[in-house]
Amino acid sequence: MPTLKLFTNIPVDSVIASDILKDATKAVAKIIGKPESYVMILVNGGVPIAFAGTEEPAAYGEVISIGGLNPTVNGKLSSTIAEILQTKLSIDSSRFYIKFYDVERIANGSAVHDGSFGVISWEIDAPIGGGFQETVVDAGLDLVL
């Protein structure tokens, strides 16, 4: 599941957030070559950010995908997401930084039981000391990891 996490110091109302979510979903799916039904986009507005020593409008992004990333794709994603942020939030592309994580299938996933027992999901948050930090969300199940 390709995931794009966006953080900006610009407050984002629900209408603009919806536009960004739609545009970014289409862009990520098309550029990476995965169905839109696999794409997740998160938009976090009003986050305190200092970039290049100022608090002028800025954004930070992370793309996490199981395959589909390479230098050409990353360049296309960078410019397309920067264009969306420029159009929707007036953030100059020089004030946008994005990181890419191409993870192995084993390092990412989710499992859903029939609903009567809850949902378990694993998310790789970020590289930490050469490894990965794992977050486990447990909806009432006893897990042994």
Side-chain angles (χ1 to χ4, degrees):
M1 171 184 287
T3 302
L4 169 63
K5 298 178 184 181
L6 291 172
F7 303 87
T8 178
N9 54 1
I10 302 295
V12 180
D13 68 35
S14 61
V15 173
I16 291 176
S18 182
D19 288 346
I20 293 170
L21 293 170
K22 289 175 191 170
D23 292 352
T25 296
K26 289 181 186 310
V28 169
K30 181 179 179 183
I31 294 169
I32 292 180
K34 305 247 178 158
E36 285 185 30
S37 60
Y38 288 13
V39 176
M40 179 182 287
I41 310 293
L42 294 85
V43 177
N44 298 288
V47 177
I49 296 176
F51 183 64
T54 76
E55 294 180 43
E56 293 176 31
Y60 169 77
E62 293 180 349
V63 175
I64 305 160
S65 184
I66 300 170
L69 298 178
N70 62 52
T72 302
V73 167
N74 297 359
K76 287 179 185 175
L77 277 171
S78 294
S79 61
T80 302
I81 300 304
E83 183 179 315
I84 291 169
L85 294 173
Q86 172 66 48
T87 302
K88 304 296 182 190
L89 298 173
S90 300
I91 296 173
D92 188 88
S93 63
S94 67
R95 308 257 326 141
F96 172 56
Y97 181 79
I98 190 166
K99 289 174 33 176
F100 297 89
Y101 299 98
D102 195 355
V103 297
E104 295 180 31
R105 182 172 308 278
I106 193 75
N108 222 356
S110 64
V112 179
H113 200 345
D114 67 5
S116 60
F117 295 104
V119 177
I120 307 168
S121 68
W122 292 267
E123 177 185 341
I124 302 304
D125 290 327
I128 306 241
F132 287 97
Q133 176 179 345
E134 182 177 288
T135 301
V136 177
V137 178
D138 176 4
L141 299 177
D142 293 325
L143 301 176
V144 178
L145 301 176

